Amino acid sequence: MKLLAISGSARRASTNTAMLYALQSVAGSTPEISVYDRVGELPVFSPDLEQDPPLEVAALAKAIAEADGLILASPEYIRSIPGGLKNAIDWLVSRNEVIGKPIVLAHASHRGDDMLHQLRIILATLSDRFNEDLFLRLPLMKLSPDEVAAHLSAPRHQEEMRRFLDAFANYCAPAVRLP
């Protein structure tokens, strides 16, 4: 099973991105997790470019198409979805790769409920397989990526992340393509 973990942050020292890398680490090779941390490199969405999208957009769409499920993690910017993540979603909205794709949220803060509410509405519109109830929230705000890694290496956090991944893998299982 292949999962794609998408960070909604353009910040290199993002706690959400660091959390996704910790999830990748705890997963090992089962499920296989790739982290996409380049929303800030996507060009601004333009409907005029949808038929022949820029290479960065085509690469993201291909990664999504090859994934059995998506994990999104995002910071909250002024009580809303960051522009980079919204831009990435805009590129995907009229494409087929995300339709019916299992999606869950993870969040690296004790705050951000306004953004999470908005993101839940958007993701439920994008995919009928968005699972609002399966959610990982870890209070990591203001930690550096190294501090996030150290914090999440604690056995209780490792177990919490493993349970989240196992539950998501089980949720994705009906959608996994048979050979």
Side-chain angles (χ1 to χ4, degrees):
M1 177 171 296
K2 294 181 180 183
L3 302 178
L4 181 64
I6 300 173
S7 175
S9 179
R11 185 173 171 235
R12 283 288 136 213
S14 162
T15 54
N16 281 281
T17 303
M19 177 186 63
L20 292 177
Y21 279 110
L23 274 172
Q24 181 184 49
S25 176
V26 79
S29 61
T30 309
E32 177 185 327
I33 298 178
S34 298
V35 176
Y36 181 85
D37 60 1
R38 297 178 304 281
V39 295
E41 297 173 17
L42 295 173
V44 173
F45 171 71
S46 171
D48 294 335
L49 300 176
E50 283 185 295
Q51 293 304 313
D52 189 21
L55 293 176
E56 302 89 346
V57 174
L60 174 59
K62 182 178 188 286
I64 290 171
E66 293 173 352
D68 297 306
L70 306 176
I71 301 169
L72 267 69
S74 180
E76 177 184 69
Y77 291 171
I78 28 179
R79 300 178 65 186
S80 188
I81 300 166
L85 179 59
K86 178 64 171 77
N87 182 55
I89 292 169
D90 287 346
W91 276 112
L92 298 169
V93 86
S94 65
R95 300 182 60 93
N96 294 326
E97 293 86 359
V98 78
I99 295 172
K101 187 75 63 175
I103 303 173
V104 292
L105 289 174
H107 190 59
S109 177
H110 63 287
R111 305 187 319 194
D113 290 334
D114 290 333
M115 180 277 301
L116 289 167
H117 175 73
Q118 293 169 17
L119 192 52
R120 285 181 174 110
I121 291 169
I122 290 168
L123 295 176
T125 303
L126 273 179
S127 175
D128 61 352
R129 297 283 322 275
F130 169 61
N131 187 332
E132 180 176 344
D133 299 322
L134 187 53
F135 177 60
L136 176 67
R137 178 176 239 160
L138 299 166
L140 305 169
M141 199 168 105
K142 305 240 186 234
L143 297 180
S144 72
D146 289 340
E147 292 169 326
V148 168
H151 183 75
L152 295 181
S153 69
R156 70 183 177 101
H157 296 303
Q158 295 277 301
E159 179 59 30
E160 183 177 6
M161 291 186 296
R162 171 49 61 197
R163 280 193 313 269
F164 172 74
L165 290 173
D166 288 346
F168 187 43
N170 287 334
Y171 180 70
C172 291
V176 172
R177 296 172 296 277
L178 299 174

